[in-house]
Amino acid sequence: CGSGLCDRRDNADDSEQFDELVDALGLIGIGNNDMEYIFSLLSALLHISNLTLLSVNDEESKVEQENEHLDQVLTLLGLEYDALDAALTSFSIQIRNQEYVRKLPKEKAEKGLEALAKALYGALFKYIVRTINDNMRPSSTDKKTGSIGMLDVAGFEHFERNSFEQLCINYCNEVLQQ
């Protein structure tokens, strides 16, 4: 598996499944340019999860420049190292028209890295769901409407009207938490 290519235990053909994915994305109205953006963002997310932060001292950290995934993240997100490093390892506050920058220790910077990955993934997920909903929305003359249901195992959701499915989800979440 050292070459980067691994045999799959389920004998699935990745290239065939990728072609099916591309066809499905096209069916829901996602164009080729948007697909390229989606795949680039997903690739960046996979690389982001492999970035490492180093402690400069007890109060400061930096993004490890020798990390083999860093160049891919920078290229895929269109960023420069200094901008990514500053965004992850420091924060600024503005007081009376003066900006103060404070460095973050490694532990807090790592939480920022996780938050960045979650925010990017969340935005991508919302975009895909919005695109599906926009393209599946019936015309105003249609009487029947469809809906997409999702199982969210991340936590309790507050809906205007809770359904039996939501009760089941909440029950499963409680059982899983124990």
Side-chain angles (χ1 to χ4, degrees), residues 153-170:
V153 295
F156 182 75
E157 298 291 331
H158 296 281
F159 296 110
E160 289 181 25
R161 184 180 62 102
N162 284 310
S163 63
F164 177 71
E165 290 85 0
Q166 186 63 38
L167 174 68
C168 292
I169 291 167
N170 293 339

Side-chain angles (χ1 to χ4, degrees), residues 74-127:
L74 296 174
T75 300
L76 291 165
L77 295 180
L79 297 173
E80 297 291 328
Y81 171 80
D82 291 338
L84 179 65
D85 185 64
L88 293 175
T89 64
S90 63
F91 70 95
S92 62
I93 56 173
Q94 186 122 10
I95 301 173
R96 294 188 181 180
N97 298 328
Q98 179 137 5
E99 182 178 38
Y100 297 92
V101 177
R102 185 166 179 203
K103 293 296 206 168
L104 294 170
K106 179 183 173 187
E107 296 76 25
K108 288 188 178 181
E110 287 173 337
K111 289 184 185 208
L113 181 60
E114 289 175 20
L116 172 64
K118 287 178 183 178
L120 289 171
Y121 182 78
L124 177 60
F125 183 80
K126 285 179 183 178
Y127 165 76

Side-chain angles (χ1 to χ4, degrees), residues 132-178:
I132 291 170
N133 288 336
D134 288 347
N135 290 318
M136 293 183 71
R137 183 173 290 128
S139 66
S140 60
T141 59
D142 289 341
K143 300 252 186 228
K144 293 183 179 180
T145 62
S147 65
I148 295 176
M150 290 188 198
L151 173 62
D152 175 14
V153 295
F156 182 75
E157 298 291 331
H158 296 281
F159 296 110
E160 289 181 25
R161 184 180 62 102
N162 284 310
S163 63
F164 177 71
E165 290 85 0
Q166 186 63 38
L167 174 68
C168 292
I169 291 167
N170 293 339
Y171 176 74
C172 289
N173 282 339
E174 291 298 319
V175 170
L176 289 171
Q177 296 289 328
Q178 294 177 6

